[in-house]
Amino acid sequence: MTLSFDLTAEGARDALRAGAVPEKPSLIGLTRAELGEALVASGIVPERQAKMRAQQLWHWMYVRGVSDFSGMFNISKDLRAELDKHFTVARPQIVEEQISADGTRKWLFRFPPRGAGRPVEIETVYIPEEGRGTLCISSQVGCTLTCSFCHTGTQKLVRNLTAEEILAQLLTARDRLGDFPDRDTPDGAIVPAEGRKVSNIVMMGMGEPLYNFEAVKKALLIASDGDGLSLSKRRITLSTSGVVPEIFRTGEEIGVMLAISLHATNDDLRDLLVPINKKYPLKELIAACRAYPGLSNAKRITFEYVMLKDVNDSIDDAKGLIKLLKGIPAKINLIPFNPWPGTNYQCSDWETIEKFADYINNAGYASPIRTPRGRDILAACGQLKSDSERMRKVDRLALEAMMIAGHGEA
Ligand code: SAH
Ligand code: SF4
């Protein structure tokens, strides 16, 4: 069973409303200090109250998940009305929500153009599993990089997402799953039996997060703030294709778990698969991994390795992989390649993947094959509308496959 809700009619009304009034700045995605400054600059909060008001709003936005000032009961009615005149804490428009039989959910969000010419659309995927629920978040619309097996790489970068838009993916997913205090989870939803519905996040959606460093950093620091969304940094994984100069900063300034899209163990092949390798070759990438702040057996780096038939899937490749990662506290994630229309690559045979995995298991790395999820909503995504510069249907298919197959293990 696949459920799909087209929310465009409601969205169109929102868009009309939004068209009538200039867009109000959102308070989501600001640091506490910026939040206080925004309140003071608007003239509705005196300087001496800025810190206290910022703290109040922080609680409502990130602990209670309130998306309308009217729900902020310990703030006076007059101040709530003033806040509403100047700012917003509203959620973005959900164009579509799809629910797979296995509980995987996928949202298509629409954000304002913000310099891109037209509104932009991105997808966020929720993957419930025994004991945890992982949200796969996008950081850019499109990608500047051109990994040859990835269809997102064929779509030009439209723009970076803002910190607000990155967080909005998490807040809205939690809304839809009833994952805030005093909210009900929708009937029949598949979520972890206990604890938080979204317990983990992975920056493994569209885009290269380290090419949007500042916004990603801001959003992840808010997501992990102990007085707010409170996700443990060990349950947040950022995946990069290998933007070496930003890797140390990721550990130092954000402090989340790192995943590397490795996919090849020698420069000649990696140059072809992940062209950023020409700029930052394996030697530099591996050195940056070894120097990753906080690295230990309890805090390992995940190395993602897409299984491409007759390209990188031989036992010699497996040997190369073990040799390359020697001495680095590492997890290995083998991702069966998700084919897309027009690609020249094929997924390795299952037997080959198992042999490769066995070799890696024998070398001391536990169960590394990632099982694809939510296949049925991939099939159903032909229903998605495509009428702007945003992704064509084939691009979206490949992206969804990538997000669902590549989600992390933290
Ligand atoms: N841009 C970042 C984040 C994307 S994460 C990065 O490259 O790390 C998604 C993971 O899925 C990456 O490891 C990516 O290389 C991989 N991937 C991309 N296209 C894929 C495909 N068609 N099949 C399987 N995995 C794919
Ligand atoms: Fe961009 Fe990652 Fe796809 Fe490479 S794999 S093109 S970095 S999204």
Side-chain angles (χ1 to χ4, degrees):
M1 176 194 62
T2 299
L3 289 177
S4 175
F5 308 101
D6 188 336
L7 306 174
T8 38
E10 199 181 311
R13 281 197 297 276
D14 282 354
L16 281 175
R17 277 203 296 275
V21 217
E23 212 189 309
K24 287 185 280 187
S26 176
L27 293 180
I28 291 164
L30 303 179
T31 62
R32 275 196 185 73
E34 286 170 345
L35 185 55
E37 284 159 24
L39 297 174
V40 174
S42 68
I44 56 177
V45 168
E47 184 110 40
R48 62 192 155 74
Q49 281 187 9
K51 219 170 161 182
M52 180 272 286
R53 293 295 183 201
Q55 191 52 39
Q56 263 178 336
L57 283 161
W58 194 271
H59 180 84
W60 285 114
M61 290 190 293
Y62 300 129
V63 177
R64 308 297 291 269
V66 163
S67 56
D68 193 320
F69 294 109
S70 63
M72 301 183 173
F73 298 120
N74 64 352
I75 298 178
S76 75
K77 228 175 156 187
D78 289 350
L79 182 53
R80 280 188 261 153
E82 281 299 312
L83 283 165
D84 191 46
K85 253 190 241 163
H86 290 81
F87 301 107
T88 176
V89 286
R91 301 289 182 253
Q93 182 188 342
I94 305 175
V95 179
E96 190 171 37
E97 173 174 73
Q98 285 183 276
I99 307 171
S100 146
D102 70 11
T104 302
R105 285 176 186 237
K106 195 179 61 179
W107 295 278
L108 178 66
F109 290 114
R110 185 172 297 156
F111 295 123
R114 302 199 165 120
R118 293 189 196 194
V120 296
E121 294 183 355
I122 57 106
E123 279 180 342
T124 306
V125 176
Y126 174 69
I127 304 130
E129 284 166 290
E130 188 75 33
R132 71 170 172 213
T134 305
L135 193 69
C136 183
I137 293 181
S138 295
S139 57
Q140 298 184 306
V141 186
C143 189
T144 50
L145 299 171
T146 52
C147 303
S148 55
F149 56 90
C150 171
H151 215 175
T152 311
T154 65
Q155 194 208 359
K156 280 193 305 214
L157 178 74
V158 178
R159 72 167 171 83
N160 279 336
L161 293 179
T162 63
E164 175 210 342
E165 291 164 340
I166 295 168
L167 276 173
Q169 297 172 61
L170 172 60
L171 294 172
T172 313
R174 290 189 58 184
D175 275 348
R176 303 295 300 179
L177 295 164
D179 194 25
F180 283 115
D182 313 321
R183 307 273 184 89
D184 292 327
T185 302
D187 278 347
I190 299 175
V191 292
E194 278 173 30
R196 302 171 69 143
K197 318 289 182 280
V198 179
S199 60
N200 294 57
I201 58 182
V202 292
M203 296 303 298
M204 293 192 182
M206 200 170 182
E208 169 48 61
L210 296 189
Y211 276 164
N212 186 14
F213 189 90
E214 294 307 328
V216 166
K217 170 180 165 182
K218 241 174 152 186
L220 294 184
L221 290 181
I222 293 174
S224 57
D225 184 284
D227 288 329
L229 289 160
S230 249
L231 273 168
S232 156
K233 289 185 180 181
R234 286 176 179 261
R235 289 174 171 270
I236 302 178
T237 302
L238 182 150
S239 175
T240 179
S241 56
V243 185
V244 167
E246 309 291 0
I247 288 180
F248 189 81
R249 291 181 66 200
T250 302
E252 190 89 328
E253 298 176 31
I254 316 179
V256 292
M257 306 297 284
L258 183 68
I260 301 284
S261 294
L262 189 66
H263 309 316
T265 58
N266 64 72
D267 281 323
D268 285 346
L269 181 57
R270 197 162 189 271
D271 283 352
L272 291 175
L273 298 180
V274 188
I276 197 180
N277 193 69
K278 289 186 227 158
K279 201 162 175 191
Y280 308 115
L282 277 169
K283 200 162 168 235
E284 290 176 31
L285 178 60
I286 295 298
C289 289
R290 287 190 197 281
Y292 193 66
L295 191 58
S296 70
N297 277 339
K299 206 177 164 200
R300 295 165 191 252
I301 295 177
T302 300
F303 289 88
E304 296 156 281
Y305 194 93
V306 63
M307 296 300 294
L308 302 168
K309 187 175 181 155
D310 300 331
V311 174
N312 66 354
D313 61 354
S314 71
I315 288 300
D316 273 349
D317 290 306
K319 282 184 189 159
L321 184 56
I322 299 304
K323 202 167 153 215
L324 188 69
L325 302 186
K326 201 163 184 261
I328 303 177
K331 289 190 255 188
I332 298 171
N333 235 309
L334 300 181
I335 314 176
F337 170 65
N338 284 290
W340 34 272
T343 180
N344 291 325
Y345 295 109
Q346 284 176 292
C347 183
S348 307
D349 302 329
W350 197 249
E351 207 176 290
T352 311
I353 299 181
E354 282 191 332
K355 273 196 198 142
F356 198 101
D358 280 348
Y359 187 91
I360 284 168
N361 279 326
N362 289 337
Y365 298 88
S367 53
I369 310 173
R370 176 142 300 288
T371 338
R373 294 283 305 267
R375 283 250 152 106
D376 54 345
I377 54 177
L378 298 187
C381 73
Q383 298 156 350
L384 296 179
K385 294 183 177 60
S386 178
D387 55 2
S388 69
E389 265 173 12
R390 65 192 163 83
M391 281 182 288
R392 289 175 303 145
K393 192 179 106 196
V394 282
D395 296 326
R396 197 184 336 267
L397 262 164
L399 170 68
E400 288 159 9
M402 175 182 100
M403 290 170 82
I404 290 169
H407 76 94
E409 231 206 325

